[in-house]
């Protein structure tokens, strides 16, 4: 806003780009910096390097309020609040790798004029360590809760905004609160360590919900229950809520796997064994592999078979493939001797780098041509709209394993497919079984 100093954003990936463009859309001047010169060049040309709905429009609409640079000095000269949005990937030990955060801190002047606002997800204790090394730097923890695919919407309509600051950084916390207040979410003012912990605990809880419903799904298959019905009945209980109760082939992405593991390691480093998270991680790993058993049930050995993976991104509406279930599935299928094809509407570029041994197709139809089975990994809407009746004739074998319970099981069965979902009573919902049984009775 006029008269105010611009907001600095450091690291212009998913979180940084959404933060920068949304702040600009709220009327603020923003200067955004990244060490990736190619990314900065393309953003300066107003080209968006990621697939995230809404960003292009925001970038275009607010072009005159957004500056992109590779120079930290330019940011420090103009901005006082520096939103740090660099990546914090997992290390081999499962701890968060804070080297990018440290690289940023090492460039900041310890002059009392700037505040580092941590949006990157970092272990509890990071803020304390940074303040110990740079006592003149004000430090605020302001974790980000957006979801890829709906990131702009999430940013502009937050459930809550967490602002953690200790003594000396209140001036920055007050400014951040004023920036976020127009968005309407509840503001949670707290200390730095608690703010850091809120982010890790929230992601660990959501991942726990997913692993929980996946285990329920596996039991449903044994006892003849339908997990979609069970989740609906559970989710209507306000104490439980309906979200993150969708059974499938497990969670992936750039956040849940690394944040759950980082919290487990953080606890372990203090001598505390976080048993529940150990199980959550193990359940998630095993869940990705259950697809193999479902394929073998129908095809026997997978050696020499051709399996088409529909969807490679970790979720729809993103081209992000970090920790995607497709990576584990492709590796397991190769291990069984299968030929693996893959198709994703937007993730072709990362897929060509991360899945070099998968034959990438230009369309779902091309991937399914002559294939022995289709495995739906990512619930892109276009997969529900395929002409499955026609595809039945073009596939080598009529088998669909729906890793997200997304397709219309009845329609596929009517088209002559063997259909396997996750947690659907031997791959068949009650409704589908009743319909089949009555059809069979009618034909006798
Ligand atoms: N992606 C999400 O959905 C999401 C949601 C909430 C929180 N987070 C957290 O936010 C952080 C960023 O995640 P992301 O997905 O945006 O990562 P990302 O990998 O998409 O982007 C990180 C950016 O930081 C840049 N960078 C690295 N080192 C730098 C440095 N020294 N100076 C300037 N730029 C530098 C990289 O070039 C890259 O463009 C992570 O800690 C993540 O856990 C991510």
């Amino acid at each position: 806003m006029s008269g105010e100093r611009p907001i600095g954003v450091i690291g212009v990936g998913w979180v940084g780009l959404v933060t920068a463009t949304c702040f600009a859309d709220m009327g603020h001047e923003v200067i955004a910096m990244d060490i990736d010169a190619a990314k900065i060049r393309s953003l300066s040309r107003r080209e968006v390097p990621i697939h995230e709905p809404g960003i292009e429009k925001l970038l275009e609409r607010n072009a005159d309020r957004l500056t992109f640079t590779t120079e930290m000095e330019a940011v420090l000269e103009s901005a006082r609040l520096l939103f740090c949005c660099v990546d914090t990937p997992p290390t081999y030990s499962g701890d968060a790798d804070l080297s990018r955060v440290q690289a940023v801190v090492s460039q900041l002047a310890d002059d009392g004029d700037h505040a580092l606002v941590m949006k990157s997800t970092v272990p509890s204790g990071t803020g304390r360590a940074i303040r110990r090394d740079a006592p003149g730097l004000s430090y605020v923890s302001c974790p980000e809760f957006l979801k890829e695919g709906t990131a702009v919407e999430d940013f502009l309509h937050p459930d809550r905004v967490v602002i953690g600051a200790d003594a000396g950084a209140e001036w920055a916390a007050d400014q951040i609160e004023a920036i976020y207040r127009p968005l309407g979410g509840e503001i949670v003012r707290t200390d730095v360590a608690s703010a850091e912990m809120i982010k890790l605990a929230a992601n660990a809880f959501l991942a726990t919900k997913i692993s929980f419903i996946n285990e329920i799904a596996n039991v449903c298959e044994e006892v003849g229950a339908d997990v979609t019905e069970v989740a609906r009945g559970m989710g209507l209980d306000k104490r439980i809520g309906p979200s993150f109760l969708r059974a499938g082939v497990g969670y992936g992405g750039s956040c849940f796997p690394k944040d759950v593991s980082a919290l487990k390691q953080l606890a372990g480093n203090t001598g505390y064994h976080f048993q529940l998270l150990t199980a959550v991680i193990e359940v998630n790993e095993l869940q990705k592999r259950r697809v193999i058993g479902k394929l073998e049930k129908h095809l026997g050995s997978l050696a020499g078979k051709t399996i088409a993976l529909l969807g490679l991104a970790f979720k729809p509406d993103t081209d992000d493939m970090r920790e995607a279930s497709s990576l584990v599935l492709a590796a397991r299928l190769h291990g069984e001797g299968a030929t693996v094809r893959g198709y994703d509407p937007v993730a072709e570029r990362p897929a060509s780098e991360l899945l070099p041994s998968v034959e990438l197709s230009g369309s779902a139809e091309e991937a399914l041509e002559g294939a022995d089975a289709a495995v739906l990994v990512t619930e892109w809407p276009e997969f529900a709209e395929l002409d499955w009746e026609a595809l039945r004739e073009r596939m080598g074998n009529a088998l669909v394993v729906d890793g997200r319970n997304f397709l219309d099981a009845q329609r596929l069965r009517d088209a002559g497919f063997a259909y396997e979902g996750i947690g659907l009573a031997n791959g068949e919902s009650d409704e589908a079984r009743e319909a089949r049984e009555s059809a069979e009775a009618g034909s006798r």
Side-chain angles (χ1 to χ4, degrees), residues 333-364:
L333 289 167
H334 279 303
E336 297 297 327
T339 296
V340 186
R341 291 192 198 147
Y343 164 70
D344 190 281
V346 302
E348 192 168 348
R349 189 189 51 76
S352 62
E353 286 164 18
L354 294 169
L355 291 170
S357 50
V358 168
E359 295 172 16
L360 293 179
S361 305
S363 68

PDB file of all heavy atoms in Angstrom, residues 333-364:
ATOM      1  N   LEU A 333       6.166 -51.901  -9.664  1.00  0.00           N
ATOM      2  CA  LEU A 333       5.725 -52.606 -10.871  1.00  0.00           C
ATOM      3  C   LEU A 333       6.931 -53.027 -11.707  1.00  0.00           C
ATOM      4  O   LEU A 333       6.977 -54.151 -12.230  1.00  0.00           O
ATOM      5  CB  LEU A 333       4.777 -51.714 -11.693  1.00  0.00           C
ATOM      6  CG  LEU A 333       3.393 -51.518 -11.059  1.00  0.00           C
ATOM      7  CD1 LEU A 333       2.645 -50.380 -11.744  1.00  0.00           C
ATOM      8  CD2 LEU A 333       2.580 -52.813 -11.145  1.00  0.00           C
ATOM      9  N   HIS A 334       7.919 -52.139 -11.821  1.00  0.00           N
ATOM     10  CA  HIS A 334       9.141 -52.515 -12.530  1.00  0.00           C
ATOM     11  C   HIS A 334       9.804 -53.695 -11.833  1.00  0.00           C
ATOM     12  O   HIS A 334      10.277 -54.629 -12.474  1.00  0.00           O
ATOM     13  CB  HIS A 334      10.122 -51.345 -12.596  1.00  0.00           C
ATOM     14  CG  HIS A 334       9.800 -50.367 -13.681  1.00  0.00           C
ATOM     15  ND1 HIS A 334       9.706 -50.727 -15.004  1.00  0.00           N
ATOM     16  CD2 HIS A 334       9.530 -49.050 -13.632  1.00  0.00           C
ATOM     17  CE1 HIS A 334       9.389 -49.665 -15.728  1.00  0.00           C
ATOM     18  NE2 HIS A 334       9.262 -48.638 -14.923  1.00  0.00           N
ATOM     19  N   GLY A 335       9.794 -53.641 -10.506  1.00  0.00           N
ATOM     20  CA  GLY A 335      10.389 -54.731  -9.723  1.00  0.00           C
ATOM     21  C   GLY A 335       9.719 -56.067 -10.003  1.00  0.00           C
ATOM     22  O   GLY A 335      10.354 -57.122  -9.938  1.00  0.00           O
ATOM     23  N   GLU A 336       8.429 -56.029 -10.323  1.00  0.00           N
ATOM     24  CA  GLU A 336       7.683 -57.263 -10.620  1.00  0.00           C
ATOM     25  C   GLU A 336       7.828 -57.664 -12.085  1.00  0.00           C
ATOM     26  O   GLU A 336       7.239 -58.646 -12.534  1.00  0.00           O
ATOM     27  CB  GLU A 336       6.189 -57.068 -10.299  1.00  0.00           C
ATOM     28  CG  GLU A 336       5.882 -56.786  -8.840  1.00  0.00           C
ATOM     29  CD  GLU A 336       6.278 -57.932  -7.908  1.00  0.00           C
ATOM     30  OE1 GLU A 336       6.194 -59.097  -8.318  1.00  0.00           O
ATOM     31  OE2 GLU A 336       6.702 -57.643  -6.774  1.00  0.00           O
ATOM     32  N   GLY A 337       8.570 -56.855 -12.852  1.00  0.00           N
ATOM     33  CA  GLY A 337       8.811 -57.210 -14.262  1.00  0.00           C
ATOM     34  C   GLY A 337       7.776 -56.671 -15.228  1.00  0.00           C
ATOM     35  O   GLY A 337       7.727 -57.082 -16.398  1.00  0.00           O
ATOM     36  N   ALA A 338       6.936 -55.735 -14.767  1.00  0.00           N
ATOM     37  CA  ALA A 338       5.899 -55.180 -15.658  1.00  0.00           C
ATOM     38  C   ALA A 338       6.469 -54.045 -16.504  1.00  0.00           C
ATOM     39  O   ALA A 338       7.452 -53.407 -16.130  1.00  0.00           O
ATOM     40  CB  ALA A 338       4.727 -54.656 -14.824  1.00  0.00           C
ATOM     41  N   THR A 339       5.836 -53.800 -17.640  1.00  0.00           N
ATOM     42  CA  THR A 339       6.095 -52.593 -18.425  1.00  0.00           C
ATOM     43  C   THR A 339       5.131 -51.540 -17.897  1.00  0.00           C
ATOM     44  O   THR A 339       3.934 -51.824 -17.736  1.00  0.00           O
ATOM     45  CB  THR A 339       5.794 -52.852 -19.916  1.00  0.00           C
ATOM     46  OG1 THR A 339       6.706 -53.851 -20.356  1.00  0.00           O
ATOM     47  CG2 THR A 339       5.953 -51.595 -20.749  1.00  0.00           C
ATOM     48  N   VAL A 340       5.657 -50.338 -17.603  1.00  0.00           N
ATOM     49  CA  VAL A 340       4.802 -49.322 -16.983  1.00  0.00           C
ATOM     50  C   VAL A 340       4.639 -48.136 -17.926  1.00  0.00           C
ATOM     51  O   VAL A 340       5.619 -47.575 -18.419  1.00  0.00           O
ATOM     52  CB  VAL A 340       5.383 -48.830 -15.638  1.00  0.00           C
ATOM     53  CG1 VAL A 340       4.400 -47.887 -14.943  1.00  0.00           C
ATOM     54  CG2 VAL A 340       5.714 -50.007 -14.735  1.00  0.00           C
ATOM     55  N   ARG A 341       3.394 -47.803 -18.181  1.00  0.00           N
ATOM     56  CA  ARG A 341       3.092 -46.585 -18.933  1.00  0.00           C
ATOM     57  C   ARG A 341       2.492 -45.568 -17.969  1.00  0.00           C
ATOM     58  O   ARG A 341       1.931 -45.944 -16.941  1.00  0.00           O
ATOM     59  CB  ARG A 341       2.072 -46.874 -20.024  1.00  0.00           C
ATOM     60  CG  ARG A 341       2.618 -47.720 -21.128  1.00  0.00           C
ATOM     61  CD  ARG A 341       1.615 -47.690 -22.266  1.00  0.00           C
ATOM     62  NE  ARG A 341       1.862 -48.779 -23.174  1.00  0.00           N
ATOM     63  CZ  ARG A 341       0.905 -49.407 -23.850  1.00  0.00           C
ATOM     64  NH1 ARG A 341      -0.357 -49.050 -23.688  1.00  0.00           N
ATOM     65  NH2 ARG A 341       1.203 -50.364 -24.678  1.00  0.00           N
ATOM     66  N   GLY A 342       2.574 -44.303 -18.331  1.00  0.00           N
ATOM     67  CA  GLY A 342       1.995 -43.289 -17.452  1.00  0.00           C
ATOM     68  C   GLY A 342       1.459 -42.130 -18.239  1.00  0.00           C
ATOM     69  O   GLY A 342       1.972 -41.799 -19.308  1.00  0.00           O
ATOM     70  N   TYR A 343       0.409 -41.531 -17.695  1.00  0.00           N
ATOM     71  CA  TYR A 343      -0.127 -40.307 -18.303  1.00  0.00           C
ATOM     72  C   TYR A 343      -0.593 -39.378 -17.197  1.00  0.00           C
ATOM     73  O   TYR A 343      -1.217 -39.809 -16.225  1.00  0.00           O
ATOM     74  CB  TYR A 343      -1.319 -40.625 -19.229  1.00  0.00           C
ATOM     75  CG  TYR A 343      -2.108 -39.384 -19.558  1.00  0.00           C
ATOM     76  CD1 TYR A 343      -1.570 -38.401 -20.393  1.00  0.00           C
ATOM     77  CD2 TYR A 343      -3.351 -39.151 -18.985  1.00  0.00           C
ATOM     78  CE1 TYR A 343      -2.262 -37.220 -20.654  1.00  0.00           C
ATOM     79  CE2 TYR A 343      -4.058 -37.976 -19.248  1.00  0.00           C
ATOM     80  CZ  TYR A 343      -3.498 -37.015 -20.082  1.00  0.00           C
ATOM     81  OH  TYR A 343      -4.187 -35.852 -20.326  1.00  0.00           O
ATOM     82  N   ASP A 344      -0.250 -38.100 -17.338  1.00  0.00           N
ATOM     83  CA  ASP A 344      -0.763 -37.080 -16.419  1.00  0.00           C
ATOM     84  C   ASP A 344      -1.062 -35.828 -17.235  1.00  0.00           C
ATOM     85  O   ASP A 344      -0.253 -35.450 -18.083  1.00  0.00           O
ATOM     86  CB  ASP A 344       0.268 -36.748 -15.329  1.00  0.00           C
ATOM     87  CG  ASP A 344      -0.330 -35.888 -14.228  1.00  0.00           C
ATOM     88  OD1 ASP A 344      -0.462 -34.652 -14.452  1.00  0.00           O
ATOM     89  OD2 ASP A 344      -0.687 -36.422 -13.168  1.00  0.00           O
ATOM     90  N   PRO A 345      -2.216 -35.178 -16.985  1.00  0.00           N
ATOM     91  CA  PRO A 345      -2.575 -34.008 -17.791  1.00  0.00           C
ATOM     92  C   PRO A 345      -1.568 -32.866 -17.714  1.00  0.00           C
ATOM     93  O   PRO A 345      -1.436 -32.101 -18.656  1.00  0.00           O
ATOM     94  CB  PRO A 345      -3.928 -33.568 -17.222  1.00  0.00           C
ATOM     95  CG  PRO A 345      -4.456 -34.733 -16.475  1.00  0.00           C
ATOM     96  CD  PRO A 345      -3.282 -35.551 -16.038  1.00  0.00           C
ATOM     97  N   VAL A 346      -0.874 -32.700 -16.564  1.00  0.00           N
ATOM     98  CA  VAL A 346       0.058 -31.550 -16.478  1.00  0.00           C
ATOM     99  C   VAL A 346       1.466 -31.898 -15.989  1.00  0.00           C
ATOM    100  O   VAL A 346       2.354 -31.058 -16.075  1.00  0.00           O
ATOM    101  CB  VAL A 346      -0.490 -30.409 -15.564  1.00  0.00           C
ATOM    102  CG1 VAL A 346      -1.830 -29.892 -16.058  1.00  0.00           C
ATOM    103  CG2 VAL A 346      -0.577 -30.836 -14.124  1.00  0.00           C
ATOM    104  N   ALA A 347       1.686 -33.092 -15.478  1.00  0.00           N
ATOM    105  CA  ALA A 347       2.983 -33.364 -14.841  1.00  0.00           C
ATOM    106  C   ALA A 347       3.983 -34.050 -15.771  1.00  0.00           C
ATOM    107  O   ALA A 347       4.893 -34.748 -15.307  1.00  0.00           O
ATOM    108  CB  ALA A 347       2.779 -34.195 -13.572  1.00  0.00           C
ATOM    109  N   GLU A 348       3.855 -33.823 -17.078  1.00  0.00           N
ATOM    110  CA  GLU A 348       4.732 -34.547 -17.993  1.00  0.00           C
ATOM    111  C   GLU A 348       6.219 -34.195 -17.793  1.00  0.00           C
ATOM    112  O   GLU A 348       7.085 -35.064 -17.801  1.00  0.00           O
ATOM    113  CB  GLU A 348       4.328 -34.272 -19.435  1.00  0.00           C
ATOM    114  CG  GLU A 348       5.022 -35.241 -20.380  1.00  0.00           C
ATOM    115  CD  GLU A 348       4.454 -35.207 -21.781  1.00  0.00           C
ATOM    116  OE1 GLU A 348       3.398 -34.612 -21.983  1.00  0.00           O
ATOM    117  OE2 GLU A 348       5.121 -35.788 -22.652  1.00  0.00           O
ATOM    118  N   ARG A 349       6.494 -32.884 -17.559  1.00  0.00           N
ATOM    119  CA  ARG A 349       7.904 -32.486 -17.428  1.00  0.00           C
ATOM    120  C   ARG A 349       8.556 -33.116 -16.185  1.00  0.00           C
ATOM    121  O   ARG A 349       9.556 -33.814 -16.322  1.00  0.00           O
ATOM    122  CB  ARG A 349       8.028 -30.959 -17.414  1.00  0.00           C
ATOM    123  CG  ARG A 349       9.458 -30.463 -17.500  1.00  0.00           C
ATOM    124  CD  ARG A 349       9.540 -28.963 -17.260  1.00  0.00           C
ATOM    125  NE  ARG A 349       8.853 -28.517 -16.059  1.00  0.00           N
ATOM    126  CZ  ARG A 349       9.323 -28.675 -14.821  1.00  0.00           C
ATOM    127  NH1 ARG A 349      10.481 -29.249 -14.617  1.00  0.00           N
ATOM    128  NH2 ARG A 349       8.624 -28.262 -13.778  1.00  0.00           N
ATOM    129  N   PRO A 350       7.979 -32.945 -14.968  1.00  0.00           N
ATOM    130  CA  PRO A 350       8.612 -33.617 -13.828  1.00  0.00           C
ATOM    131  C   PRO A 350       8.611 -35.135 -13.972  1.00  0.00           C
ATOM    132  O   PRO A 350       9.548 -35.802 -13.530  1.00  0.00           O
ATOM    133  CB  PRO A 350       7.778 -33.174 -12.625  1.00  0.00           C
ATOM    134  CG  PRO A 350       6.537 -32.565 -13.155  1.00  0.00           C
ATOM    135  CD  PRO A 350       6.852 -32.087 -14.540  1.00  0.00           C
ATOM    136  N   ALA A 351       7.569 -35.693 -14.628  1.00  0.00           N
ATOM    137  CA  ALA A 351       7.508 -37.151 -14.775  1.00  0.00           C
ATOM    138  C   ALA A 351       8.660 -37.654 -15.640  1.00  0.00           C
ATOM    139  O   ALA A 351       9.245 -38.703 -15.358  1.00  0.00           O
ATOM    140  CB  ALA A 351       6.169 -37.561 -15.388  1.00  0.00           C
ATOM    141  N   SER A 352       9.005 -36.881 -16.678  1.00  0.00           N
ATOM    142  CA  SER A 352      10.091 -37.354 -17.549  1.00  0.00           C
ATOM    143  C   SER A 352      11.418 -37.369 -16.793  1.00  0.00           C
ATOM    144  O   SER A 352      12.307 -38.156 -17.084  1.00  0.00           O
ATOM    145  CB  SER A 352      10.177 -36.507 -18.823  1.00  0.00           C
ATOM    146  OG  SER A 352      10.464 -35.176 -18.459  1.00  0.00           O
ATOM    147  N   GLU A 353      11.539 -36.492 -15.767  1.00  0.00           N
ATOM    148  CA  GLU A 353      12.781 -36.489 -14.966  1.00  0.00           C
ATOM    149  C   GLU A 353      12.746 -37.560 -13.884  1.00  0.00           C
ATOM    150  O   GLU A 353      13.736 -38.252 -13.650  1.00  0.00           O
ATOM    151  CB  GLU A 353      12.947 -35.123 -14.282  1.00  0.00           C
ATOM    152  CG  GLU A 353      13.361 -34.025 -15.241  1.00  0.00           C
ATOM    153  CD  GLU A 353      13.148 -32.630 -14.646  1.00  0.00           C
ATOM    154  OE1 GLU A 353      13.011 -32.508 -13.414  1.00  0.00           O
ATOM    155  OE2 GLU A 353      13.091 -31.670 -15.448  1.00  0.00           O
ATOM    156  N   LEU A 354      11.577 -37.712 -13.234  1.00  0.00           N
ATOM    157  CA  LEU A 354      11.523 -38.588 -12.057  1.00  0.00           C
ATOM    158  C   LEU A 354      11.184 -40.038 -12.389  1.00  0.00           C
ATOM    159  O   LEU A 354      11.427 -40.931 -11.583  1.00  0.00           O
ATOM    160  CB  LEU A 354      10.479 -38.043 -11.060  1.00  0.00           C
ATOM    161  CG  LEU A 354      10.830 -36.691 -10.440  1.00  0.00           C
ATOM    162  CD1 LEU A 354       9.640 -36.100  -9.698  1.00  0.00           C
ATOM    163  CD2 LEU A 354      12.003 -36.838  -9.488  1.00  0.00           C
ATOM    164  N   LEU A 355      10.587 -40.260 -13.564  1.00  0.00           N
ATOM    165  CA  LEU A 355      10.182 -41.621 -13.927  1.00  0.00           C
ATOM    166  C   LEU A 355      10.798 -41.992 -15.283  1.00  0.00           C
ATOM    167  O   LEU A 355      10.057 -42.252 -16.249  1.00  0.00           O
ATOM    168  CB  LEU A 355       8.652 -41.708 -14.013  1.00  0.00           C
ATOM    169  CG  LEU A 355       7.871 -41.576 -12.695  1.00  0.00           C
ATOM    170  CD1 LEU A 355       6.382 -41.424 -12.966  1.00  0.00           C
ATOM    171  CD2 LEU A 355       8.123 -42.792 -11.800  1.00  0.00           C
ATOM    172  N   PRO A 356      12.134 -42.027 -15.365  1.00  0.00           N
ATOM    173  CA  PRO A 356      12.762 -42.239 -16.680  1.00  0.00           C
ATOM    174  C   PRO A 356      12.394 -43.582 -17.312  1.00  0.00           C
ATOM    175  O   PRO A 356      12.412 -43.705 -18.539  1.00  0.00           O
ATOM    176  CB  PRO A 356      14.265 -42.160 -16.377  1.00  0.00           C
ATOM    177  CG  PRO A 356      14.384 -42.359 -14.905  1.00  0.00           C
ATOM    178  CD  PRO A 356      13.121 -41.883 -14.285  1.00  0.00           C
ATOM    179  N   SER A 357      12.051 -44.587 -16.514  1.00  0.00           N
ATOM    180  CA  SER A 357      11.760 -45.893 -17.110  1.00  0.00           C
ATOM    181  C   SER A 357      10.270 -46.098 -17.394  1.00  0.00           C
ATOM    182  O   SER A 357       9.857 -47.155 -17.851  1.00  0.00           O
ATOM    183  CB  SER A 357      12.282 -47.007 -16.198  1.00  0.00           C
ATOM    184  OG  SER A 357      11.821 -46.766 -14.897  1.00  0.00           O
ATOM    185  N   VAL A 358       9.465 -45.074 -17.130  1.00  0.00           N
ATOM    186  CA  VAL A 358       8.036 -45.180 -17.452  1.00  0.00           C
ATOM    187  C   VAL A 358       7.806 -44.613 -18.852  1.00  0.00           C
ATOM    188  O   VAL A 358       8.347 -43.570 -19.214  1.00  0.00           O
ATOM    189  CB  VAL A 358       7.200 -44.396 -16.405  1.00  0.00           C
ATOM    190  CG1 VAL A 358       5.755 -44.241 -16.854  1.00  0.00           C
ATOM    191  CG2 VAL A 358       7.261 -45.094 -15.058  1.00  0.00           C
ATOM    192  N   GLU A 359       7.041 -45.334 -19.672  1.00  0.00           N
ATOM    193  CA  GLU A 359       6.710 -44.839 -21.015  1.00  0.00           C
ATOM    194  C   GLU A 359       5.612 -43.800 -20.858  1.00  0.00           C
ATOM    195  O   GLU A 359       4.478 -44.148 -20.508  1.00  0.00           O
ATOM    196  CB  GLU A 359       6.191 -45.991 -21.888  1.00  0.00           C
ATOM    197  CG  GLU A 359       7.217 -47.053 -22.160  1.00  0.00           C
ATOM    198  CD  GLU A 359       6.595 -48.263 -22.874  1.00  0.00           C
ATOM    199  OE1 GLU A 359       5.473 -48.148 -23.414  1.00  0.00           O
ATOM    200  OE2 GLU A 359       7.246 -49.316 -22.860  1.00  0.00           O
ATOM    201  N   LEU A 360       5.949 -42.525 -21.086  1.00  0.00           N
ATOM    202  CA  LEU A 360       4.947 -41.476 -20.907  1.00  0.00           C
ATOM    203  C   LEU A 360       4.087 -41.338 -22.160  1.00  0.00           C
ATOM    204  O   LEU A 360       4.603 -41.341 -23.283  1.00  0.00           O
ATOM    205  CB  LEU A 360       5.631 -40.149 -20.593  1.00  0.00           C
ATOM    206  CG  LEU A 360       6.353 -40.105 -19.243  1.00  0.00           C
ATOM    207  CD1 LEU A 360       7.025 -38.758 -19.042  1.00  0.00           C
ATOM    208  CD2 LEU A 360       5.398 -40.403 -18.095  1.00  0.00           C
ATOM    209  N   SER A 361       2.789 -41.242 -21.959  1.00  0.00           N
ATOM    210  CA  SER A 361       1.848 -41.136 -23.074  1.00  0.00           C
ATOM    211  C   SER A 361       1.270 -39.728 -23.134  1.00  0.00           C
ATOM    212  O   SER A 361       1.215 -39.033 -22.122  1.00  0.00           O
ATOM    213  CB  SER A 361       0.698 -42.130 -22.887  1.00  0.00           C
ATOM    214  OG  SER A 361       1.209 -43.430 -22.727  1.00  0.00           O
ATOM    215  N   GLY A 362       0.798 -39.363 -24.324  1.00  0.00           N
ATOM    216  CA  GLY A 362       0.240 -38.022 -24.515  1.00  0.00           C
ATOM    217  C   GLY A 362      -1.231 -37.937 -24.149  1.00  0.00           C
ATOM    218  O   GLY A 362      -1.802 -36.851 -24.106  1.00  0.00           O
ATOM    219  N   SER A 363      -1.847 -39.082 -23.878  1.00  0.00           N
ATOM    220  CA  SER A 363      -3.260 -39.079 -23.485  1.00  0.00           C
ATOM    221  C   SER A 363      -3.541 -40.362 -22.706  1.00  0.00           C
ATOM    222  O   SER A 363      -2.770 -41.335 -22.776  1.00  0.00           O
ATOM    223  CB  SER A 363      -4.171 -39.042 -24.720  1.00  0.00           C
ATOM    224  OG  SER A 363      -4.047 -40.264 -25.424  1.00  0.00           O
ATOM    225  N   ALA A 364      -4.676 -40.361 -21.992  1.00  0.00           N
ATOM    226  CA  ALA A 364      -5.061 -41.565 -21.252  1.00  0.00           C
ATOM    227  C   ALA A 364      -5.334 -42.704 -22.244  1.00  0.00           C
ATOM    228  O   ALA A 364      -4.940 -43.854 -22.006  1.00  0.00           O
ATOM    229  CB  ALA A 364      -6.301 -41.273 -20.419  1.00  0.00           C
TER     230      ALA A 364
END
